[in-house]
Amino acid sequence: MPSVVHPQVPHYIHAPATQANLDYADLPIIDLSRIDTSEGRAELALQIRESMTEHGFFYVVNHGYSSSQTERIFDIADVPFTGVSDEDKQKYLATMKVTGSYQGYKLRQYWHIDGGVKDQVEHYNINKDITRRAHPENLRSFLPEIEEFAKHNHFNVLHPILRLLALGLELPEETFVNMHQYSAAGETYVRFMKYYPRSKEDEEKTKNVWLKGHTDFGTITILHSQPVAALQILTPTGQWKWVKHIPNALVINAGDSMEFLSGGFYRATIHRVVQPPPDQQQYARLGVFYFCLTDDDVKLAPLSQSPVLQRVGIKRRFSDEEAPTTEAWRRARTSAYGQSELKVAATNKNIEEEYINGVLVKHYN
């Protein structure tokens, strides 16, 4: 049988790994190859439960995607930025404020960061159903590979993690999987994202913060690790620590929706993006993500039938009756982000707040 011939694409050359002595977070590493046995699943479920309650972040290795496949998806990820003209990008803009959807381009200088400075990050978002929207001509030949990438993340990474999270709550294994159907209506999507270096003046005005501390609004975020150091997480003790690059590893974190569904048991961890260390400051930072949300009609109320939650209690952000659907929550968060007026918290001048669907959302400087 002849091998599949993929369209040619320029090879993306990453920045060299930083030599800076950074204060890295000590995050657990989950080996997904151990999930095939009942003993391995039980051990991984306990490890992920501890990871999600203590850190909200962890690494995944042996996820079924080879180093060469990872290189190829990063090559493709750069096409929307370097292979599409500025004029064509305008034809495929996302309409976040109107539709509450990120599908398409979010161009630079859309979000307000701080001190009158707007962002220097560009991203292109592709729904797991790649037919939902038209795509730039230069990206179309790569759509079959992007679709396969989405399916790999969905079935070989997301679903196994969701099964382990369900076991951690002593729920049936398919509890969360049944809320994340690949064919269902929703906004789970692949994101290619590129941060560009900023001026010295902008760095000073924003105190070197490129993206304020925040929580993701979905259930699970899957980030394919890359070498430019910029991602930091806020530890339970209030320290910002760097996330270290591990070649061909995934960086996983929980978002608000998972925190809502788990009654606060699985923590949506606050994270931010800052200027890289000096030896990487001249490089752009290319990211590849799979942002996961439940199906649009899922109500984000705590799964109170969990024996674990019955023992430890539920931390509610709203009453069960007022719990939003995923569609309502993601539309509100998407349309507001970087566009709404934030108020400084009365208790901490480094925190800004807004209410979205009656839920207090915080942004951390």
Side-chain angles (χ1 to χ4, degrees):
M1 186 175 179
S3 61
V4 176
V5 177
H6 292 308
Q8 289 189 338
V9 61
H11 180 53
Y12 183 80
I13 300 175
H14 289 280
T18 181
Q19 299 304 305
N21 184 20
L22 303 178
D23 186 11
Y24 290 111
D26 185 17
L27 300 180
I29 299 176
I30 304 296
D31 183 352
L32 268 191
S33 67
R34 298 173 55 228
I35 202 170
D36 293 333
T37 67
S38 57
E39 291 176 353
R41 280 197 301 280
E43 291 174 3
L44 288 177
L46 180 60
Q47 192 179 2
I48 277 188
R49 182 168 72 178
E50 291 175 351
S51 301
M52 280 299 197
T53 53
E54 293 179 18
H55 305 280
F57 265 74
F58 57 87
Y59 297 104
V60 163
V61 296
N62 294 323
H63 45 75
Y65 217 60
S66 68
S67 295
S68 60
Q69 287 174 302
T70 297
E71 283 187 18
R72 173 72 181 179
I73 202 65
F74 272 96
D75 293 346
I76 294 171
D78 199 39
V79 172
F81 312 118
T82 58
V84 179
S85 68
D86 289 343
E87 182 181 0
D88 278 349
K89 288 176 184 178
Q90 292 292 332
K91 301 174 185 176
Y92 299 96
L93 290 179
T95 52
M96 286 83 77
K97 289 205 75 166
V98 177
T99 63
S101 170
Y102 274 122
Q103 305 314 309
Y105 278 102
K106 198 272 332 157
L107 299 180
R108 289 187 257 182
Q109 299 200 11
Y110 177 78
W111 293 327
H112 175 252
I113 304 302
D114 203 12
V117 176
K118 293 191 174 182
D119 71 276
Q120 289 295 335
V121 59
E122 191 172 25
H123 53 71
Y124 188 74
N125 305 279
I126 306 169
N127 192 281
K128 65 186 189 304
D129 176 2
I130 63 171
T131 66
R132 283 275 293 274
R133 278 193 61 158
H135 304 281
E137 183 176 357
N138 285 1
L139 194 63
R140 292 171 195 167
S141 61
F142 302 106
L143 288 174
E145 291 177 82
I146 295 171
E147 183 176 39
E148 285 304 310
F149 175 72
K151 287 180 178 178
H152 169 76
N153 280 277
H154 204 92
F155 294 112
N156 300 333
V157 181
L158 172 65
H159 278 186
I161 288 172
L162 292 176
R163 291 186 179 103
L164 294 172
L165 290 172
L167 289 174
L169 287 172
E170 298 176 17
L171 290 167
E173 278 192 44
E174 301 300 303
T175 300
F176 290 124
V177 168
N178 291 337
M179 301 177 184
H180 294 77
Q181 297 298 313
Y182 192 82
S183 58
E187 282 285 304
T188 292
Y189 53 92
V190 173
R191 173 178 290 178
F192 301 142
M193 191 171 191
K194 196 169 187 179
Y195 288 85
Y196 296 87
R198 302 190 313 185
S199 68
K200 182 179 179 181
E201 182 183 9
D202 282 356
E203 295 293 358
E204 290 174 352
K205 287 181 178 178
T206 61
K207 301 180 180 65
N208 304 112
V209 172
W210 284 9
L211 205 60
K212 290 179 183 178
H214 64 283
T215 54
D216 293 340
F217 59 81
T219 47
I220 296 294
T221 299
I222 301 169
L223 165 66
H224 288 250
S225 186
Q226 55 74 52
V228 178
L231 178 62
Q232 294 182 334
I233 65 170
L234 187 63
T235 68
T237 58
Q239 298 172 294
W240 289 107
K241 294 207 171 188
W242 298 79
V243 174
K244 187 178 180 64
H245 169 54
I246 298 179
N248 203 36
L250 307 176
V251 181
I252 309 292
N253 68 274
D256 292 335
S257 298
M258 181 56 70
E259 184 172 307
F260 297 162
L261 290 168
S262 68
F265 190 72
Y266 294 136
R267 196 163 60 91
T269 298
I270 300 154
H271 55 285
R272 68 180 183 180
V273 180
V274 299
Q275 185 185 34
D279 59 353
Q280 292 184 324
Q281 287 175 7
Q282 71 271 35
Y283 295 95
R285 179 176 183 264
L286 182 65
V288 174
F289 298 79
Y290 193 62
F291 282 97
C292 310
L293 292 88
T294 66
D295 308 339
D296 267 355
D297 60 358
V298 170
K299 192 172 184 181
L300 298 174
L303 298 172
S304 56
Q305 69 270 32
S306 160
V308 172
L309 295 186
Q310 290 172 10
R311 291 197 298 270
V312 304
I314 294 173
K315 298 176 183 177
R316 285 183 167 82
R317 300 275 293 275
F318 37 68
S319 68
D320 289 0
E321 295 75 22
E322 295 175 338
T325 63
T326 291
E327 181 178 18
W329 177 245
R330 57 99 175 158
R331 283 181 181 272
R333 282 292 306 269
T334 300
S335 61
Y337 189 81
Q339 294 286 299
S340 54
E341 291 292 329
L342 304 177
K343 294 184 178 180
V344 176
T347 55
N348 189 332
K349 66 179 182 179
N350 293 320
I351 299 176
E352 295 171 312
E353 300 175 335
E354 62 181 329
Y355 279 91
I356 296 177
N357 273 19
V359 180
L360 181 63
V361 176
K362 297 181 179 181
H363 305 263
Y364 297 77
N365 288 328

